[in-house]
Amino acid sequence: MDNQPGASAKSPARVMPAIARVLMGLAFLVFGLNGFLNFIPQPKTMPEGAAAFFGALMKTGYMIPLIFGTQTLVGALLLLNLFVPLALALIAPVIVNIVAFHIFIERSGLPIAIVFLAIELYLAWSHRKSFLPMLAPKTKPGV
């Protein structure tokens, strides 16, 4: 084994978080921007439950822009490798809702949703040291 500095920098374990981060960043940037620019064709028909769900989100007047804005911001942060733990925390509820939507309303996209849940969990595990202070049972302000 070569113990020179940088020798392990090319190992798969070192590049996998970057690959996962870029993959997730691209997906959320593209789908977030699509929410504003509509460049991906929408399905001609939508199951009744899915149509009702999206209709309700649209009627709020703020949820759809909030969701797509969050996806766009998180996608950009992940691609730029900036504030990655914050980006992962921001996108977690979106991913949970995507998975729940595909479990309870429209099962067709469930495999992809599970892939992105797995990527989210993998990246959160990769950045677990950043989350430790947030998971402390008791803290003091300003400390």
Side-chain angles (χ1 to χ4, degrees), residues 14-59:
R14 303 253 320 174
V15 297
M16 285 304 294
I19 291 169
R21 179 181 49 77
V22 169
L23 177 66
M24 195 156 114
L26 278 173
F28 280 112
L29 182 65
V30 167
F31 287 110
L33 288 174
N34 183 62
F36 297 111
L37 305 175
N38 299 309
F39 52 83
I40 298 174
Q42 297 298 315
K44 301 244 188 286
T45 61
M46 190 180 295
E48 185 179 331
F53 179 73
F54 282 110
L57 290 176
M58 289 177 71
K59 284 182 182 180

Side-chain angles (χ1 to χ4, degrees), residues 80-137:
L80 295 170
N81 199 21
L82 295 172
F83 304 106
V84 172
L86 175 62
L88 295 173
L90 289 172
I91 204 64
V94 174
I95 291 174
V96 167
N97 276 292
I98 290 169
V99 171
F101 173 84
H102 288 293
I103 288 172
F104 297 110
I105 298 175
E106 178 54 41
R107 295 214 177 220
S108 66
L110 186 57
I112 301 274
I114 289 172
V115 167
F116 280 96
L117 176 61
I119 293 171
E120 167 79 2
L121 292 172
Y122 172 72
L123 287 172
W125 180 256
S126 297
H127 292 271
R128 64 190 173 276
K129 287 183 182 176
S130 298
F131 293 106
L132 287 177
M134 190 168 67
L135 299 173

